[in-house]
Amino acid sequence: MSDWLERLERKAELRAKAGLTRQLRHRSPDDDVVDLAGNDYLGLATHPDVIAAARSALDAYGLGATGSRLVRGSTSAHGALEDRLAGWLGTEAVLVYSSGYLANLGAVRALTRPRTLLVSDAHNHASLIDGCRISGAEVAVTPHADVAAVEAALAAAPGRPAVVVTESIFSVDGDLAPLADLHAAARRHGALLLVDDAHALGVIGPAGAGGAAAAGLAGEPDVVVTATLSKSLGAAGGLVAGPAALVRHLVDTGRTFIFDTAPPPAVAAGALAALEVARGSDGRRAELADRAATVVRRLRAAGLEVSTPAGGVVSVTAPGPETAVAWAADCRDRGVAVGCFRPPSTPDSRARLRLTVNVGVPRADFDRALDVIVECAP
């Protein structure tokens, strides 16, 4: 075996000993596992209006976009989706990407110029972390949700351009960032605020417009919002929302936009249909909040350490990586899919089960799944 392959095999062995091996599982259409692992919070991935819109666009355009957005990949479906997203989020403009990951990389890079300081929350998603790294800017990582630490980092760099980078609902523990206070701190120092609304869009805020809107920051000229279409909208893709000048800059210069194939038109059309359903889904959001509260109540009553969720993400602390993997596997063997987060995917070296609430799961199945999680607990 070649030396480089031997090194990879050795690294794989070390990961296995540490309980950090990952495994692909291929889901079949008739999979009957209760889903508390995916991010389809509002149950819209299989909504009939969404499927019908995607099918119609599939018939009209075919399978793929056939090119980047600037070549042949932009369709009327993409344009309509961007217009409706901007109206929903209360921003001047929106640009749709093929993934939320690329949207975050593009947004961070676009907001970075010489001498920029990026002030990044310690619990930020990997895409934000990678965006900060790729930008080449100086990065100050501040303790989680610590406004005073953010203020101190900004005060220590007077006169420099700066961007405060945060999620709204954090992807690991599901807690809500103090967005209004972060924005006030950023504005006092002339900094921008970049909010990744991936887990809040469709879940909180007026008509589900997300965490920035819930904090009263919609349309503020010093606020940029990113999000995915793959969670509450049940589709795929990402977005950057903000001033029209920013979107123009991204179209002209953003490498993760210019050189990437556009999302398939059927996906864009399906996401647009999901958006229309989501805007009028206050009942689904209320059910989501009720179920998240039920998770916390039931699991804490069983003696488990559980986060306090602001949306549909609830984390449950596990004793360690190997235990978390075994716990998740036992749940799956009993028909319940849960997320399993281990270092280095967690910001504090703690292993967790991550549960995501999907209101499309029948309530009886949801309640049974909580019983299984408790019964399989280490």
Side-chain angles (χ1 to χ4, degrees):
M1 182 182 292
S2 301
D3 289 346
W4 70 278
L5 290 176
E6 290 180 355
R7 286 196 298 272
L8 295 185
E9 289 290 346
R10 177 57 180 160
K11 288 182 178 181
E13 291 172 3
L14 293 173
R15 289 195 301 272
K17 289 180 180 178
L20 299 179
T21 297
R22 301 174 188 272
Q23 188 174 24
L24 287 171
R25 292 186 174 88
H26 303 292
R27 177 165 56 93
S28 64
D30 59 353
D31 177 55
D32 60 357
V33 170
V34 179
D35 184 9
L36 295 186
N39 297 312
D40 186 18
Y41 297 123
L42 302 181
L44 300 185
T46 56
H47 191 284
D49 292 352
V50 174
I51 298 301
R55 182 178 292 117
S56 178
L58 184 64
D59 290 339
Y61 288 105
L63 180 59
T66 76
S68 70
R69 292 288 305 277
L70 290 171
V71 179
R72 287 282 291 171
S74 284
T75 67
S76 57
H78 296 89
L81 175 60
E82 289 169 338
D83 289 344
R84 290 296 283 162
L85 282 167
W88 191 23
L89 299 178
T91 59
E92 285 186 350
V94 165
L95 191 64
V96 165
Y97 288 69
S98 64
S99 75
Y101 197 100
L102 292 179
N104 272 341
L105 297 187
V108 174
R109 182 67 187 89
L111 299 178
T112 303
R113 52 195 172 104
R115 299 183 64 246
T116 294
L117 174 67
L118 300 174
V119 183
S120 179
D121 189 284
H123 282 207
N124 276 343
H125 187 267
S127 57
L128 292 174
I129 295 171
D130 288 353
C132 291
R133 289 172 176 169
I134 291 171
S135 74
E138 180 184 349
V139 182
V141 178
T142 52
H144 178 51
D146 189 335
V147 177
V150 169
E151 184 104 42
L154 294 171
R160 291 178 59 182
V163 184
V164 177
V165 183
T166 185
E167 295 182 61
S168 52
I169 291 178
F170 285 89
S171 57
V172 175
D173 285 332
D175 56 319
L176 182 64
L179 292 179
D181 292 339
L182 288 172
H183 178 249
R187 182 166 282 185
R188 281 192 293 271
H189 295 274
L192 302 177
L193 177 65
L194 173 60
V195 180
D196 181 349
D197 240 354
H199 290 275
L201 184 67
V203 174
I204 63 173
L217 305 180
E220 290 292 334
D222 51 359
V223 175
V224 174
V225 174
T226 63
T228 66
L229 308 175
S230 60
K231 294 178 173 53
S232 66
L233 298 186
L239 66 93
V240 178
L246 171 64
V247 169
R248 179 72 261 171
H249 180 72
L250 289 167
V251 170
D252 286 342
T253 69
R255 296 174 67 85
T256 61
F257 176 80
I258 296 170
F259 299 106
D260 187 49
T261 299
V267 172
L272 176 58
L275 183 160
E276 302 298 348
V277 176
R279 289 185 66 143
S281 291
D282 285 346
R284 290 174 187 257
R285 281 183 280 277
E287 174 67 13
L288 181 71
D290 179 71
R291 292 193 187 195
T294 298
V295 173
V296 172
R297 184 176 63 254
R298 294 268 301 276
L299 271 56
R300 283 182 179 168
L304 299 174
E305 183 180 346
V306 184
S307 66
T308 300
V313 177
V314 187
S315 75
V316 189
T317 300
E322 293 178 338
T323 306
V325 171
W327 191 358
D330 289 346
C331 289
R332 186 172 185 83
D333 289 343
R334 295 186 56 181
V336 177
V338 297
C340 180
F341 276 28
R342 297 158 287 160
S345 297
T346 58
D348 53 9
S349 299
R350 286 193 299 137
R352 300 161 170 83
L353 294 192
R354 192 183 75 157
L355 315 181
T356 48
V357 178
N358 179 346
V359 299
V361 172
R363 186 67 190 233
D365 291 343
F366 169 78
D367 290 334
R368 179 180 64 81
L370 298 186
D371 291 337
V372 168
I373 292 166
V374 170
E375 291 164 6
C376 292

